């Protein structure tokens, strides 16, 4: 999906679209922050379908989530068509818009993700640790883990699931509808630009 947006990033870079996207995301994060603290993976595609991803928590599909990140200028598409997280943008936004007790991002955390999700040790042959961008949402005093990997339940060999949040399903449905409207606007704008070039 990122290849499709690589030629359209200029459409997503206007100040109004950045503010709108960040405002919508802020509202959802504020709702998640009413629960216990939890570390989420932010980059799409690193753990498809896993509850431990911010994408899953927001209830968005790949296209909706990537559009959100690009619109909010929290990610960009590189020359190879790959989505790259902009960690400094995340940090500046977190410091400006959120209470640090409830929301924070950190330097990318190095881990062997498959081992972490399975509640296994990260050492051993073939277990190469790579950096993952993460965000912590929820009150820090209710946090039992200092990082993403610390959320592992080793006794039952699984990663701890995110906390239950009231009215989460309703917020997800509303958020998906908003992102669908934004997605249509982007494609209609792109079509208008193409038609203008053909005249």
């Amino acid at each position: 999906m990122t290849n499709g947006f690589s030629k359209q990033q200029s459409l997503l870079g206007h100040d109004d679209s950045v503010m709108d996207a960040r405002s919508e995301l802020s509202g959802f994060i504020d709702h998640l922050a009413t629960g216990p603290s939890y570390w989420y993976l932010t980059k799409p595609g690193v753990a498809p379908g896993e509850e431990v991803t911010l994408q899953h928590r927001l209830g968005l599909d790949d296209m909706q989530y990537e559009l959100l990140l690009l619109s909010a200028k929290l990610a960009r598409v590189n020359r190879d068509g790959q989505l790259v997280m902009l960690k400094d943008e995340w940090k500046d936004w977190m410091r400006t818009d959120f209470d640090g007790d409830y929301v924070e991002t950190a330097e990318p955390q190095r881990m062997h993700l498959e081992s972490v999700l399975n509640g296994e040790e990260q050492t051993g042959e073939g277990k190469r640790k790579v950096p993952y961008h993460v965000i912590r949402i929820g009150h820090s005093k209710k946090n039992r883990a200092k990082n993403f990997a610390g959320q592992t339940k080793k006794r039952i060999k699984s990663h701890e699931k995110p906390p239950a949040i009231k009215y989460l399903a309703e917020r997800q449905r509303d958020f998906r509808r908003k992102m669908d409207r934004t997605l249509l606007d982007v494609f209609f704008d792109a079509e208008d630009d193409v038609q203008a070039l053909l005249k």
Side-chain angles (χ1 to χ4, degrees):
M1 176 268 179
T2 47
N3 284 324
F5 274 110
S6 60
K7 296 180 180 179
Q8 300 178 23
Q9 288 191 87
S10 60
L11 294 173
L12 304 172
H14 302 299
D15 289 341
D16 288 345
S17 66
V18 173
M19 290 181 63
D20 289 345
R22 291 191 178 187
S23 177
E24 294 292 347
L25 185 53
S26 290
F28 203 117
I29 288 177
D30 284 339
H31 185 69
L32 294 178
T34 60
S37 183
Y38 192 85
W39 292 94
Y40 297 91
L41 299 167
T42 59
K43 187 174 181 179
V46 295
E50 290 283 352
E51 295 178 89
V52 299
T53 65
L54 183 61
Q55 175 182 347
H56 188 281
R57 201 61 162 163
L58 297 175
L60 301 180
D61 62 28
D62 290 348
M63 183 175 287
Q64 292 168 328
Y65 185 59
E66 290 185 19
L67 171 66
L68 173 65
L69 294 178
L70 292 171
S71 299
K73 282 193 173 181
L74 297 174
R76 66 176 178 84
V77 178
N78 65 18
R79 293 180 179 179
D80 297 324
Q82 302 298 311
L83 198 73
V84 178
M85 307 305 289
L86 301 176
K87 65 176 185 177
D88 290 337
E89 289 288 342
W90 280 90
K91 283 183 179 179
D92 290 343
W93 181 49
M94 298 289 100
R95 283 195 294 262
T96 302
D97 285 23
F98 298 99
D99 183 335
D101 285 339
Y102 290 88
V103 181
E104 68 172 315
T105 186
E107 288 298 313
Q109 297 178 7
R110 300 186 66 85
M111 65 187 103
H112 184 260
L113 186 57
E114 183 179 354
S115 295
V116 171
L117 296 179
N118 291 330
E120 301 171 351
E121 294 294 334
Q122 297 187 67
T123 56
E125 185 177 353
K127 292 187 175 183
R128 176 173 170 267
K129 293 182 180 181
V130 296
Y132 291 90
H133 187 265
V134 295
I135 179 175
R136 185 187 62 77
I137 304 173
H139 201 290
S140 58
K141 291 183 179 179
K142 299 178 182 179
N143 181 27
R144 290 178 293 174
K146 300 302 181 183
N147 52 42
F148 183 89
Q151 296 172 149
T152 300
K153 290 184 176 180
K154 294 184 178 180
R155 285 186 302 170
I156 58 175
K157 291 197 171 183
S158 71
H159 197 78
E160 187 173 330
K161 294 184 181 298
I165 303 291
K166 288 183 178 180
Y167 311 116
L168 179 60
E170 291 87 341
R171 291 299 297 262
Q172 288 175 332
R173 284 195 295 270
D174 183 53
F175 202 58
R176 280 195 297 270
R177 285 195 293 268
K178 290 177 180 177
M179 291 310 301
D180 281 339
R181 289 196 294 269
T182 302
L183 193 61
L184 284 174
D185 289 342
V186 168
F187 281 117
F188 280 133
D189 288 344
E191 185 177 359
D192 290 342
D193 287 350
V194 171
Q195 293 299 325
L197 289 173
L198 294 175
K199 291 181 178 178

